[in-house]
Amino acid sequence: AQTVTQSQPEMSVQEAETVTLSCTYDTSESDYYLFWYKQPPSRQMILVIRQEAYKQQNATENRFSVNFQKAAKSFSLKISDSQLGDAAMYFCAYRSSNFGNEKLTFGTGTRLTIIP
Amino acid sequence: DTEVTQTPKHLVMGMTNKKSLKCEQHMGHRAMYWYKQKAKKPPELMFVYSYEKLSINESVPSRFSPECPNSSLLNLHLHALQPEDSALYLCASSQGVVGTGATDTQYFGPGTRLTVL
């Protein structure tokens, strides 16, 4: 079974600064997908960024980028130029590439606070 | 358009009530999901409807029953719930295609906050 670990329950960053959220996972599969979702106080789970394991290039979406280290099974999220609207709970998630195994396995989350 | 809608936004029910949660997507997705999320915890998968086949998390009690009237709708019927079932219920959908080149990202609705008295 796959597991996802987020070792930072809470993080804070000054507005306009950069912050990195950590995520590690354990799997025996070679092909899979990784995601970062944010969940603001409104409670809706919003996709931030996704990474296919077969791609060596790190995914980037505007101010959000990942550092994907497949051998180390690490998938950290970097948020540049932090904004007040980035304040949320961030979940790292793993999904198998096998058809019939659609389950998203989530980490326990990191609560990010933005300091004005 | 990555919109998944859920109704109602809030629901309060007694333990003897029967109620239903509704989820709808118009993205042509072939897979839909129900998750349960307790406070300060990650979501836990309850059910998956993928290509008209239901997959169940075996730990989910029978007082929860999903129904998929068509490929755009997924209902969750609730009956004889317990106070510990109070949680945020999230619906998600995805294309349902997997394998190299198809990430099959799940898109979530805003959730229904359920309180069982």
Side-chain angles (χ1 to χ4, degrees), chain A residues 31 33 35 37 39 42-45 47 50 52 54 91 95 97-99 102-104 106-108, chain B residues 33 35 37 41-43 45 50 88 96 98-110 113:
Chain A
D31 196 15
Y33 308 104
F35 305 86
Y37 285 90
Q39 190 174 38
S42 66
R43 304 294 297 192
Q44 180 155 9
M45 197 76 82
L47 176 70
R50 60 188 167 208
E52 292 89 346
Y54 66 88
F91 290 100
R95 188 203 188 288
S97 66
N98 294 328
F99 186 75
E102 299 89 347
K103 177 182 177 182
L104 272 178
F106 289 91
T108 51
Chain B
Y33 313 79
Y35 287 86
Q37 187 180 22
K41 298 288 187 182
L45 183 66
S50 180
L88 180 71
V98 294
T100 300
T103 311
D104 198 36
T105 301
Q106 292 184 26
Y107 296 95
F108 286 82
R113 182 165 297 285

Side-chain angles (χ1 to χ4, degrees), chain B residues 4 24 27 32 34 36 50 54 62 71-72 82 92 100 104:
Chain B
V4 177
E24 191 167 11
M27 295 177 279
M32 296 183 75
W34 279 113
K36 174 183 178 181
S50 180
L54 173 65
S62 59
S71 58
S72 300
Q82 302 297 308
T100 300
D104 198 36

